[in-house]
Amino acid sequence: MTTPPPTPAPPGRTTRPPTSSDTAGDRPAPLADDLRAKYLRAPVAALSAQLRALGYDDVTIDGVTPLHPASKLVGVARTLRFVPARPDLFASHGGGYNAQKRLFDSVGPGEVIVVEARRDPGSGTLGDILAIRARRNGAAGVVTDGGVRDVVAVTAVGLPVYCAGAHPAVLGRRHVPWESDVTVACGGTAVQPGDVLVGDADGVLVVPRHLAEQVVDAALAKEDEDAWVAEQVAAGHPVEGLFPPSGEWRSAYDAWRSTRA
C-alpha cells in the first residue's frame, strides 16, 4: 500500500516543529475578586516598597510607559517570548497561526499578556487587530518591552498597554514569535505565568504569585499610615519622628487606628 503524501500547508501558513508552547501547563488561576479589589486600591509604589522589604528589588518592568496613564492594570501573567529575527526561523515559526496569534486568541478575562522582546523597540510587537482581540476576550492588558505599531488605533481600543514606544515596522523586522506560557524576561525582569502584574502611572510591577496576598495587605496598611502622617504634616507638624511614626507619634497613630477598627 502506498503511503499518501503529506497534506500541504494552507496558503499563507508555514509548517513548524512543535515548541514548548504547544505543551505548556494549565492556564494560571485567576485572582479572587477580593484580592483583585485590593490590588486596584494599592499604588505600585507602595507595593514596590513592600517587595523590597522582602528582598525583591528586581521586580519592576523597566523602560515601558503606559498608553493610558490614568488606567490601573491588574491581572495575572500570560507570557510570550520572541527571538531575534532570522529568515529560516521566521519561515518555520513566524507565519500563519503563530505563537503570538494563538496566545491572543486564548487569553482570558483578567489575564495580562507579557511580551519578552529583548528591550528592542525596533518593530511593532502589538497592533490594533490583536489589541481588539485581547480586549474582546476580557484581557486585563498587555505589557511589552518592544514597540507598538498603529499606536493611535491601539490607544483607541482602550486596553491598558505598556510598551517601549511606537514603531511603524511589522514584527518580522526584529522578532520571531517563538513560544508562550513560559518564564520570560520583560524589561529586565523575570515573569512567570500566573505572576501578578500591577501597573499605574509609576510603572509596572511583578508580584510573585505566592506573595500576592501578603504584599498587598502590607501595602494597604502602609498606605493608611502614610495618609495619617500626611494629615499631620499638612497641619504643620515637622517630619522628625513622624515620618515614619516613632515614640509618641507611633502611640498616637496606633490609638487612631484602634478607633477605626
Side-chain angles (χ1 to χ4, degrees), residues 4-179:
T7 303
R13 292 187 58 175
T14 56
T15 57
R16 59 171 184 81
T19 71
S20 61
S21 61
D22 295 320
T23 56
D26 295 335
R27 72 183 325 126
L31 291 178
D33 289 344
D34 59 340
L35 187 57
R36 177 177 171 79
K38 289 179 181 180
Y39 272 100
L40 288 170
R41 291 167 46 208
V44 165
L47 296 166
S48 176
Q50 296 307 315
L51 282 164
R52 187 175 191 278
L54 296 173
Y56 287 78
D57 276 327
D58 298 317
V59 286
T60 55
I61 296 183
D62 295 337
V64 300
T65 56
L67 297 185
H68 296 278
S71 296
K72 186 71 177 283
L73 170 73
V74 176
V76 296
R78 296 285 304 280
T79 60
L80 176 63
R81 185 170 76 94
F82 295 150
V83 299
R86 207 175 81 179
D88 57 334
L89 300 184
F90 197 87
S92 65
H93 286 70
Y97 196 46
N98 58 35
Q100 181 191 42
K101 293 175 183 176
R102 295 195 300 273
L103 181 57
F104 275 83
D105 261 351
S106 69
V107 68
E111 296 177 343
V112 178
I113 294 177
V114 183
V115 180
E116 175 187 332
R118 307 176 316 284
R119 297 181 171 183
D120 185 345
S123 69
T125 60
L126 173 67
D128 58 334
I129 299 299
L130 292 182
I132 291 168
R133 181 59 175 152
R135 185 168 179 81
R136 180 64 179 81
N137 283 351
V142 177
V143 180
T144 173
D145 62 0
V148 167
R149 68 191 302 261
D150 309 312
V151 70
V152 172
V154 170
T155 303
V157 171
L159 183 73
V161 172
Y162 289 75
C163 66
H167 200 284
V170 296
L171 176 74
R173 179 173 185 261
R174 289 281 196 253
H175 308 293
V176 179
W178 197 254
E179 59 185 344

Side-chain angles (χ1 to χ4, degrees), residues 183-203:
T183 300
V184 299
C186 182
T189 296
V191 183
Q192 294 194 298
D195 283 345
V196 180
L197 272 290
V198 192
D200 61 21
D202 279 347

Side-chain angles (χ1 to χ4, degrees), residues 228 247-257:
W228 182 84
E248 292 182 358
W249 280 118
R250 171 54 64 183
S251 298
Y253 171 70
D254 289 343
W256 172 83
R257 187 175 59 177

